[in-house]
């Protein structure tokens, strides 16, 4: 299985500041057919199902604020929230969907400082 | 609008079978462009991909090795739903279970989640 490792496990950021979450895969998740990394980010708020934020490393889903951005390639990926808002408090997960089982990172808990 | 509605018991005894159903509205379980997947979340395992079913001229099934041999995911075309059965459960199977839709692997729609506790 492809192992996904996120860092840090938890993060406290002041409102309006930048938050950065890292994700590393144990092998490349680059799909040769479309030259895109099969990497997604999810936001999970307590009491709700996870929500897909970003797919293909950097493509925001419809309705996701543009303060959320994704980057990376190969085995190293990053989710950035440019200006933290109170409603962004959640646990964030990366997931590879290159090869089944489509494994997740262990999650990063984001809080307000 | 696509919605996934889960149903099933929240308490299962050890060694028995966990059974959950996911009713689909706004899409078809027989769609040849999506897959139907079960995910679970627990403090010990985090988010865990359990398996999926999908239709591409015939039905396909894929399961995680961690639950292989105990898991069955079945589509029900007449009711437009799919189900999860997990046999011989132990307390380690206690988790919140989610049904999801995936397009090219991305989980874009989720059920509401069902907390299943394995306890006598």
């Amino acid at each position: 299985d492809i192992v996904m490792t996120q860092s840090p496990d938890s993060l406290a950021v002041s409102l309006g500041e930048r938050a950065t979450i890292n994700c590393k895969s144990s092998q490349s998740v680059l799909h040769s057919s479309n030259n895109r990394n099969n990497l997604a980010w999810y936001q999970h708020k307590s009491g709700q199902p996870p929500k897909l934020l970003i797919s293909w490393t950097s493509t925001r889903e419809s309705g996701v604020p543009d303060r959320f951005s994704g980057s990376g390639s190969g085995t190293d990926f990053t989710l950035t929230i440019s200006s933290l808002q109170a409603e962004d408090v959640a646990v964030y997960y990366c997931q590879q969907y290159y090869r089944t089982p489509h494994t997740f990172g262990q999650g990063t808990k984001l809080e307000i400082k | 609008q696509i919605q996934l509605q889960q149903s099933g018991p929240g308490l299962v005894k050890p060694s028995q079978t966990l059974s959950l159903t996911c009713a689909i509205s706004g899409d078809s379980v027989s769609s040849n462009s999506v897959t139907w997947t079960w995910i679970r979340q627990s403090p010990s395992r985090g988010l865990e991909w359990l398996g999926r079913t999908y239709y591409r001229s015939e039905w396909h099934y894929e399961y995680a090795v961690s639950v292989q041999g105990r898991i069955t995911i079945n589509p029900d075309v007449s009711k437009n739903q799919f189900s999860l059965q997990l046999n011989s459960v132990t307390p380690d199977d206690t988790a919140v279970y989610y049904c999801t839709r995936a397009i090219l692997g991305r989980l874009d729609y989720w059920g509401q989640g069902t907390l299943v506790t394995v306890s006598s």
Side-chain angles (χ1 to χ4, degrees), chain A:
Chain A
D1 297 359
I2 298 176
V3 177
M4 308 299 289
T5 304
Q6 291 181 227
S7 61
D9 289 337
S10 62
L11 182 62
V13 175
S14 301
L15 289 173
E17 296 299 305
R18 178 186 300 262
T20 301
I21 299 170
N22 301 301
C23 175
K24 188 174 184 66
S25 59
S26 61
Q27 64 186 79
S28 173
V29 296
L30 178 66
H31 208 292
S32 56
S33 66
N34 58 13
N35 203 36
R36 302 174 85 175
N37 289 287
N38 290 25
L39 191 284
W41 290 95
Y42 298 84
Q43 177 190 63
H44 192 190
K45 295 183 178 180
S46 180
Q48 301 178 19
K51 174 187 175 183
L52 177 62
L53 291 178
I54 288 172
S55 55
W56 307 113
T57 301
S58 59
T59 302
R60 274 190 306 274
E61 294 298 303
S62 175
V64 174
D66 61 6
R67 64 180 180 273
F68 291 90
S69 64
S71 62
S73 64
T75 60
D76 292 285
F77 304 93
T78 299
L79 173 69
T80 301
I81 307 172
S82 60
S83 176
L84 189 70
Q85 305 300 304
E87 61 265 32
D88 300 335
V89 169
V91 180
Y92 292 84
Y93 296 92
C94 61
Q95 182 212 22
Q96 64 80 20
Y97 49 95
Y98 173 71
R99 178 173 294 140
T100 57
H102 293 162
T103 44
F104 295 86
Q106 79 278 17
T108 295
K109 186 176 184 179
L110 178 59
E111 299 173 311
I112 306 294
K113 185 187 290 183

Side-chain angles (χ1 to χ4, degrees), chain A residues 42 44 49 55 93 97 100-101, chain B residues 41 49 62 104 106-107 110-111:
Chain A
Y42 298 84
H44 192 190
S55 55
Y93 296 92
Y97 49 95
T100 57
Chain B
Q41 181 177 33
W49 186 96
E62 289 184 77
L104 298 176
R106 302 134 52 228
L107 304 171
W110 295 63

Side-chain angles (χ1 to χ4, degrees), chain B residues 81-93:
Chain B
Q81 62 186 32
F82 64 109
S83 64
L84 168 69
Q85 283 196 312
L86 189 63
N87 302 327
S88 305
V89 296
T90 71
D92 192 46
D93 293 309

